[in-house]
Coordinates of all heavy atoms in Angstrom, one line a residue:
W51 N 7.7 -8.6 18.3 CA 6.3 -8.9 18.9 C 5.6 -9.8 17.9 O 5.6 -9.6 16.7 CB 5.6 -7.6 19.0 CG 4.3 -7.6 19.7 CD1 4.0 -8.4 20.8 CD2 3.1 -6.9 19.4 NE1 2.7 -8.2 21.2 CE2 2.1 -7.2 20.4 CE3 2.8 -5.9 18.5 CZ2 0.9 -6.7 20.3 CZ3 1.6 -5.4 18.5 CH2 0.6 -5.8 19.4
N52 N 5.0 -10.9 18.5 CA 4.3 -11.9 17.7 C 3.2 -11.4 16.8 O 2.9 -12.0 15.8 CB 3.9 -13.1 18.5 CG 5.1 -13.8 19.1 OD1 6.2 -13.7 18.6 ND2 4.8 -14.5 20.2
L53 N 2.5 -10.4 17.3 CA 1.3 -9.9 16.5 C 1.6 -8.9 15.4 O 0.7 -8.5 14.7 CB 0.3 -9.3 17.5 CG -0.3 -10.3 18.5 CD1 -1.2 -9.5 19.5 CD2 -1.0 -11.4 17.8
S54 N 2.8 -8.5 15.4 CA 3.2 -7.4 14.4 C 2.9 -7.8 12.9 O 2.3 -7.0 12.2 CB 4.7 -7.1 14.5 OG 5.0 -6.5 15.7
P55 N 3.2 -9.0 12.5 CA 2.9 -9.3 11.1 C 1.4 -9.4 10.8 O 1.0 -9.0 9.7 CB 3.5 -10.7 10.9 CG 4.5 -10.9 11.9 CD 4.1 -10.1 13.1
Y56 N 0.6 -9.8 11.8 CA -0.8 -9.8 11.6 C -1.4 -8.4 11.5 O -2.2 -8.1 10.6 CB -1.5 -10.5 12.8 CG -1.1 -11.9 12.9 CD1 -0.2 -12.4 13.8 CD2 -1.7 -12.9 12.1 CE1 0.1 -13.7 13.9 CE2 -1.4 -14.2 12.2 CZ -0.5 -14.6 13.1 OH -0.1 -15.9 13.2
I57 N -0.9 -7.5 12.3 CA -1.4 -6.1 12.3 C -0.9 -5.4 11.0 O -1.7 -4.7 10.3 CB -0.8 -5.3 13.5 CG1 -1.4 -5.8 14.8 CG2 -1.0 -3.8 13.3 CD1 -0.7 -5.3 16.0
Y58 N 0.3 -5.7 10.5 CA 0.8 -5.2 9.3 C -0.1 -5.7 8.1 O -0.5 -4.9 7.2 CB 2.3 -5.6 9.0 CG 2.7 -5.2 7.7 CD1 3.3 -3.9 7.5 CD2 2.6 -6.0 6.6 CE1 3.7 -3.5 6.3 CE2 3.0 -5.6 5.3 CZ 3.6 -4.3 5.2 OH 4.0 -3.9 3.9
C59 N -0.4 -7.0 8.1 CA -1.2 -7.6 7.0 C -2.6 -7.0 6.9 O -3.1 -6.8 5.8 CB -1.2 -9.1 7.1 SG 0.4 -9.8 6.6
I60 N -3.2 -6.8 8.1 CA -4.5 -6.2 8.1 C -4.5 -4.8 7.5 O -5.3 -4.4 6.7 CB -5.1 -6.2 9.5 CG1 -5.4 -7.6 10.0 CG2 -6.3 -5.3 9.6 CD1 -5.7 -7.7 11.5
G61 N -3.5 -4.0 7.8 CA -3.3 -2.7 7.3 C -3.0 -2.7 5.8 O -3.6 -2.0 5.0
A62 N -2.2 -3.7 5.3 CA -1.8 -3.8 3.9 C -3.1 -4.2 3.1 O -3.3 -3.7 2.0 CB -0.7 -4.8 3.7
L63 N -3.8 -5.1 3.6 CA -5.1 -5.5 2.9 C -6.1 -4.4 2.9 O -6.7 -4.2 1.8 CB -5.7 -6.8 3.6 CG -5.0 -8.1 3.4 CD1 -5.6 -9.2 4.3 CD2 -5.0 -8.5 1.9
A64 N -6.2 -3.6 3.9 CA -7.1 -2.5 3.9 C -6.7 -1.5 2.8 O -7.5 -1.0 2.0 CB -7.2 -1.8 5.3
I65 N -5.4 -1.2 2.7 CA -4.9 -0.2 1.7 C -5.1 -0.8 0.3 O -5.6 -0.1 -0.6 CB -3.5 0.1 2.0 CG1 -3.4 1.0 3.2 CG2 -2.8 0.8 0.8 CD1 -2.0 1.3 3.7
A66 N -4.8 -2.1 0.2 CA -5.0 -2.7 -1.2 C -6.5 -2.7 -1.6 O -6.8 -2.4 -2.8 CB -4.5 -4.1 -1.1
V67 N -7.4 -3.0 -0.7 CA -8.8 -3.0 -1.1 C -9.3 -1.7 -1.5 O -10.0 -1.5 -2.5 CB -9.6 -3.6 0.1 CG1 -11.1 -3.3 -0.1 CG2 -9.4 -5.1 0.3
V68 N -8.9 -0.6 -0.7 CA -9.3 0.7 -1.1 C -8.7 1.1 -2.4 O -9.4 1.7 -3.3 CB -8.8 1.7 0.0 CG1 -9.0 3.1 -0.5 CG2 -9.6 1.5 1.3
Q69 N -7.5 0.8 -2.7 CA -6.9 1.2 -4.0 C -7.5 0.4 -5.2 O -7.6 0.9 -6.2 CB -5.4 1.0 -3.9 CG -4.7 2.1 -3.0 CD -3.2 2.0 -3.0 OE1 -2.6 1.0 -3.4 NE2 -2.6 3.0 -2.5
I70 N -7.8 -0.8 -4.9 CA -8.4 -1.6 -6.0 C -9.8 -1.1 -6.4 O -10.2 -1.0 -7.5 CB -8.5 -3.1 -5.7 CG1 -7.1 -3.7 -5.7 CG2 -9.4 -3.9 -6.6 CD1 -6.9 -5.1 -5.1
F71 N -10.6 -0.7 -5.3 CA -11.9 -0.2 -5.6 C -12.0 1.2 -6.0 O -13.0 1.7 -6.5 CB -12.8 -0.4 -4.3 CG -13.3 -1.9 -4.2 CD1 -12.9 -2.6 -3.1 CD2 -14.1 -2.5 -5.1 CE1 -13.3 -3.9 -2.9 CE2 -14.5 -3.8 -5.0 CZ -14.1 -4.5 -3.9
S72 N -10.9 1.9 -5.9 CA -10.9 3.3 -6.4 C -10.1 3.4 -7.7 O -9.4 4.4 -7.9 CB -10.2 4.2 -5.3 OG -8.9 3.9 -5.2
S73 N -10.3 2.4 -8.6 CA -9.6 2.4 -9.8 C -10.1 3.5 -10.8 O -11.2 4.0 -10.6 CB -9.7 1.1 -10.5 OG -11.0 0.8 -10.8
Y74 N -9.3 3.9 -11.8 CA -9.7 4.9 -12.7 C -10.5 4.3 -13.8 O -10.2 3.3 -14.4 CB -8.4 5.5 -13.3 CG -8.6 6.7 -14.2 CD1 -9.1 7.9 -13.8 CD2 -8.3 6.5 -15.6 CE1 -9.4 8.9 -14.7 CE2 -8.5 7.5 -16.5 CZ -9.0 8.7 -16.0 OH -9.2 9.8 -16.9
K75 N -11.6 5.1 -14.2 CA -12.5 4.6 -15.2 C -12.6 5.5 -16.4 O -13.5 5.4 -17.2 CB -13.9 4.3 -14.6 CG -13.8 3.3 -13.5 CD -15.1 2.9 -12.9 CE -15.1 1.9 -11.9 NZ -14.0 1.9 -10.9
G76 N -11.7 6.4 -16.5 CA -11.7 7.4 -17.6 C -10.9 6.9 -18.8 O -10.6 5.8 -18.9
N77 N -10.6 7.9 -19.7 CA -9.9 7.6 -20.9 C -8.5 8.1 -20.9 O -7.8 7.8 -21.9 CB -10.6 8.3 -22.1 CG -12.0 7.7 -22.3 OD1 -12.2 6.5 -22.1 ND2 -12.9 8.5 -22.8
N78 N -8.0 8.7 -19.9 CA -6.7 9.2 -19.8 C -5.7 8.1 -19.6 O -5.7 7.4 -18.6 CB -6.5 10.3 -18.7 CG -5.2 11.0 -18.7 OD1 -4.2 10.5 -19.3 ND2 -5.2 12.1 -18.1
V79 N -4.8 7.8 -20.6 CA -3.9 6.7 -20.5 C -2.9 6.8 -19.4 O -2.5 5.9 -18.7 CB -3.1 6.6 -21.9 CG1 -2.1 5.5 -21.9 CG2 -4.1 6.4 -23.0
V80 N -2.4 8.1 -19.1 CA -1.5 8.3 -18.1 C -2.1 8.0 -16.7 O -1.5 7.3 -15.9 CB -0.9 9.7 -18.1 CG1 0.0 10.0 -17.0 CG2 -0.2 10.0 -19.4
L81 N -3.3 8.4 -16.5 CA -4.0 8.1 -15.2 C -4.3 6.6 -15.1 O -4.1 6.1 -14.0 CB -5.3 8.9 -15.1 CG -5.1 10.4 -14.7 CD1 -6.4 11.1 -14.7 CD2 -4.5 10.5 -13.3
K82 N -4.6 6.0 -16.2 CA -4.8 4.5 -16.1 C -3.5 3.8 -15.7 O -3.5 2.9 -14.8 CB -5.2 3.9 -17.4 CG -6.7 4.2 -17.8 CD -7.0 3.5 -19.1 CE -8.4 3.8 -19.5 NZ -8.8 3.2 -20.8
R83 N -2.4 4.2 -16.2 CA -1.1 3.7 -15.9 C -0.8 3.9 -14.4 O -0.3 3.0 -13.7 CB 0.0 4.2 -16.8 CG 1.4 3.7 -16.5 CD 2.4 4.4 -17.3 NE 2.4 5.8 -17.3 CZ 3.0 6.6 -16.4 NH1 3.6 6.1 -15.4 NH2 2.9 7.9 -16.5
L84 N -1.0 5.2 -14.0 CA -0.7 5.5 -12.6 C -1.5 4.7 -11.6 O -1.0 4.3 -10.6 CB -0.8 7.0 -12.4 CG 0.2 7.9 -13.0 CD1 -0.2 9.3 -13.0 CD2 1.6 7.7 -12.3

Side-chain angles (χ1 to χ4, degrees):
W51 187 39
N52 292 338
L53 296 178
S54 296
Y56 296 102
I57 293 171
Y58 176 88
C59 285
I60 291 170
L63 286 173
I65 289 174
V67 166
V68 168
Q69 289 181 345
I70 288 169
F71 283 115
S72 66
S73 62
Y74 181 69
K75 300 185 179 36
N77 294 328
N78 188 337
V79 178
V80 175
L81 281 173
K82 282 183 184 181
R83 177 185 53 84
L84 287 169

